[in-house]
Amino acid sequence: MKDTDAHVTGADVPAAGAQGPLYRQIKDAMLSALAMGEWKQGDALPPEKVLASRFGVAIGTLRKAIDDMVADGILTRQQGRGTFVAAHKRNSHFFRYFRLQRKDGQKAYPTNALLTFRRVRASAAARDALQLGPDEMVFEFSNLLSLHGDVVLVDSVVVPDALFRGLTEAQLKARPSTLYNFYQDAFEVNVIATEERLSVAHADLQHAVWLDVAPGFAVLEVHRIAYSYHQRPVEWRISRINTTHYEYIGPHTGE
Amino acid sequence: MKDTDAHVTGADVPAAGAQGPLYRQIKDAMLSALAMGEWKQGDALPPEKVLASRFGVAIGTLRKAIDDMVADGILTRQQGRGTFVAAHKRNSHFFRYFRLQRKDGQKAYPTNALLTFRRVRASAAARDALQLGPDEMVFEFSNLLSLHGDVVLVDSVVVPDALFRGLTEAQLKARPSTLYNFYQDAFEVNVIATEERLSVAHADLQHAVWLDVAPGFAVLEVHRIAYSYHQRPVEWRISRINTTHYEYIGPHTGE
DNA sequence: AAGTGGTCTAGACCACTAC
DNA sequence: TAGTGGTCTAGACCACTTA
């Protein structure tokens, strides 16, 4: 049977209103399964053959959907072991979201110190970045990051209360791993994509103290919005970086 | 015949010393064909069926090789028309290498003015960036870029004499399209990948004049190395950007 | 040895383009 | 209408991991 509409007998694909390529629909269905928590970070997905029959498609089609999600950094594959939901561990993937290195090319994992923490009504800018309604609450906190013992960066983070219900200062101080890994573990919030905009700014009095520089010192300012499944914004962050000894690694297009 | 080694009768694949997946070998063979100038920028490649039989592989395998190169931005596909060697035209692809936009999100194509031009012995830094031997010559030139009528950026470009034999100031001033498109048209140098490192710097006297800012003004400094096929470095560039009204668009990981 | 993903085949039909 | 890339199938065998 070479019929393209073979999936009408599929168990999981929305047969009605199907649009676009099959593998795209499969990907969306898997994204929804992930968003609903069917598979959590670090979990192994069912084998490809099982998924293929569940969605009523050939294994090649199922693989194309997974290929996409692997390219997006949502899943990881390990030959002989299985396919897993990507976790924000301190592995090579870490540098997908942490793009600073020493100017001699040396990479390192940062150490953290929580500077501030509060729960407030979202500012207009925060509502805009996080697509929130009026009067919605957010958590705001800031972090000091050091590399090789040098203070390098201050993060100012805003996350919606609705997704991080009950977040406490103690939790943030005690988190064992990366921030995004903490979001996954404690709140099932999975960051799978970010947008960043960079410009030069000057340290205010507070940042000058934190970064141990003179007020007005020129810093690299990175505005980031982080997204979860289906482009849902889950974090807004402004990083202010002292680039005296460290540099930001831009996109490398191509191979 | 389901035999994996079916390609022994292939006409173009190096049968001896074959390594790694077949589609990878096909990709390398096509990369070499591109580097040797068999297909030039804008050209249509032969149909997939023809290429598949030329390399002695199934069409699916050939497609996987092309998929990779399309993802790398080396080729573009147009359904119903063919597969083409990517050109650096002023299309959406342009913003793959030009990552500035106004802070309100407005994108625009820059206008250019050539500031300096000379041919000199490569500095140590240039030899390092471009993997040149001692005493090799390079062209150095700088460009002033404006967006929406605002002076925004000064590029300092270094390219090896060996690849750009006979480059003249007049050619650079007269070039009708983008710099990378000019490299393709006039010298068959194809930029297919870049690496960038960003940090904050301060304008020297010369750059302050060019950018119409005070000396010492804090600018965003972007160090870029551009590569052609097989990771061959072909251009080294330092851009100094006034980010008062414009911002650099960072990588957006994920979908 | 059994199970997983990785690669590859040899087709089919579909959507789009150019003539 | 002919030719292109886009999608999909239904398998096969390989490489690797785990037990």
Side-chain angles (χ1 to χ4, degrees):
Chain A
M1 112 148 96
K2 292 291 165 55
D3 175 4
T4 299
D5 289 312
H7 64 281
V8 289
T9 56
D12 233 324
V13 175
Q19 303 176 38
L22 235 195
Y23 72 86
R24 247 292 176 194
Q25 300 172 38
I26 305 301
K27 180 180 173 182
D28 277 352
M30 293 181 68
L31 245 22
S32 296
L34 284 163
M36 310 236 330
E38 176 169 351
W39 306 305
K40 304 197 189 308
Q41 67 118 331
D43 283 4
L45 265 57
E48 296 181 339
K49 281 178 184 171
V50 173
L51 284 171
S53 77
R54 162 169 161 183
F55 291 115
V57 297
I59 215 171
T61 306
L62 186 274
R63 277 184 63 81
K64 191 156 184 181
I66 293 185
D67 283 346
D68 262 31
M69 298 170 77
V70 169
D72 292 342
I74 300 170
L75 302 176
T76 61
R77 285 200 274 217
Q78 289 177 255
Q79 191 174 11
R81 301 222 311 132
T83 304
F84 302 84
V85 182
H88 289 279
K89 290 287 171 61
R90 295 208 156 182
N91 50 23
S92 61
H93 249 77
F94 177 76
F95 293 100
R96 187 184 177 89
Y97 294 100
F98 184 77
R99 308 190 67 87
L100 286 186
Q101 66 178 10
R102 207 160 62 184
K103 285 186 177 175
D104 63 7
Q106 187 75 36
K107 288 177 156 76
Y109 294 108
T111 57
N112 276 271
L114 188 67
L115 297 171
T116 67
F117 178 86
R118 57 182 188 153
R119 181 171 175 277
V120 295
R121 203 169 306 278
S123 67
R127 288 202 308 273
D128 185 51
L130 294 171
Q131 296 172 24
L132 301 177
D135 294 330
E136 282 204 61
M137 302 299 286
V138 293
F139 292 101
E140 290 184 3
F141 56 93
S142 50
N143 255 312
L144 186 69
L145 271 72
S146 302
L147 286 162
H148 303 103
D150 306 322
V151 168
V152 177
L153 179 163
V154 174
D155 271 337
S156 298
V157 180
V158 180
V159 295
D161 177 82
L163 291 174
F164 291 82
R165 205 66 83 179
L167 174 66
T168 66
E169 186 167 359
Q171 274 181 302
L172 278 173
K173 278 186 172 152
R175 74 191 156 87
S177 184
T178 74
L179 197 51
Y180 287 171
N181 191 46
F182 168 69
Y183 292 174
Q184 292 182 315
D185 281 343
F187 298 96
E188 291 184 20
V189 169
N190 296 276
V191 171
I192 62 166
T194 57
E195 276 180 11
E196 296 192 339
R197 298 170 176 208
L198 286 72
S199 57
V200 174
H202 295 273
D204 61 22
L205 290 176
Q206 177 65 84
H207 280 85
V209 171
W210 282 333
L211 288 171
D212 193 22
V213 296
F217 183 86
V219 294
L220 180 60
E221 195 171 275
V222 181
H223 292 239
R224 170 192 288 185
I225 300 175
Y227 298 88
S228 185
Y229 304 118
H230 300 303
Q231 291 80 52
R232 176 174 189 174
V234 295
E235 182 204 62
W236 179 45
R237 172 191 299 209
I238 299 177
S239 303
R240 293 175 175 94
I241 307 167
N242 177 351
T243 64
T244 305
H245 300 297
Y246 294 83
E247 62 193 358
Y248 178 97
I249 308 163
H252 35 137
T253 64
E255 327 185 49
Chain B
M1 103 144 107
K2 293 290 166 54
D3 177 2
T4 299
D5 289 311
H7 66 281
V8 289
T9 56
D12 231 327
V13 175
Q19 305 175 37
L22 235 195
Y23 73 86
R24 247 292 176 194
Q25 299 173 38
I26 305 302
K27 180 179 173 182
D28 277 352
M30 293 182 69
L31 246 22
S32 295
L34 284 163
M36 310 239 327
E38 176 169 350
W39 306 304
K40 302 194 190 310
Q41 69 116 331
D43 283 4
L45 266 56
E48 296 180 338
K49 281 177 185 171
V50 174
L51 284 172
S53 77
R54 161 169 164 183
F55 291 116
V57 298
I59 212 170
T61 305
L62 186 274
R63 277 184 63 80
K64 191 156 184 179
I66 295 185
D67 283 346
D68 262 31
M69 298 170 77
V70 170
D72 292 341
I74 300 169
L75 303 176
T76 61
R77 286 199 274 218
Q78 289 177 254
Q79 190 173 11
R81 299 222 313 131
T83 304
F84 302 83
V85 183
H88 290 280
K89 293 284 171 61
R90 297 212 152 180
N91 51 24
S92 60
H93 250 76
F94 177 77
F95 293 101
R96 187 183 178 89
Y97 295 99
F98 184 77
R99 308 191 66 88
L100 286 186
Q101 66 177 11
R102 206 161 62 185
K103 286 187 176 174
D104 63 8
Q106 188 75 34
K107 289 177 154 76
Y109 294 108
T111 58
N112 275 271
L114 188 68
L115 297 171
T116 68
F117 177 86
R118 56 182 188 154
R119 181 171 174 277
V120 296
R121 202 170 306 279
S123 66
R127 287 203 308 274
D128 184 53
L130 294 172
Q131 298 172 23
L132 300 178
D135 294 329
E136 283 205 62
M137 302 297 288
V138 294
F139 292 102
E140 291 184 1
F141 56 92
S142 50
N143 256 312
L144 186 69
L145 272 72
S146 302
L147 286 162
H148 303 103
D150 305 323
V151 167
V152 177
L153 179 162
V154 174
D155 272 336
S156 298
V157 179
V158 180
V159 295
D161 177 82
L163 291 174
F164 291 82
R165 205 69 82 179
L167 174 66
T168 66
E169 185 166 0
Q171 274 181 303
L172 278 173
K173 277 186 172 151
R175 73 191 158 86
S177 183
T178 73
L179 197 50
Y180 288 170
N181 192 46
F182 169 69
Y183 291 174
Q184 292 183 315
D185 282 343
F187 299 95
E188 292 185 18
V189 169
N190 297 277
V191 171
I192 62 166
T194 57
E195 277 180 9
E196 296 191 341
R197 299 171 176 207
L198 287 72
S199 57
V200 174
H202 295 272
D204 62 19
L205 290 175
Q206 178 64 86
H207 279 84
V209 171
W210 282 335
L211 288 171
D212 192 23
V213 297
F217 183 86
V219 295
L220 179 60
E221 195 171 275
V222 180
H223 292 240
R224 171 192 289 186
I225 300 175
Y227 297 89
S228 185
Y229 305 118
H230 301 302
Q231 292 79 55
R232 177 174 189 173
V234 294
E235 183 206 61
W236 179 45
R237 173 192 298 210
I238 299 178
S239 304
R240 293 173 176 95
I241 307 167
N242 177 350
T243 64
T244 305
H245 300 297
Y246 294 83
E247 61 193 359
Y248 178 97
I249 308 164
H252 36 135
T253 64
E255 322 185 52

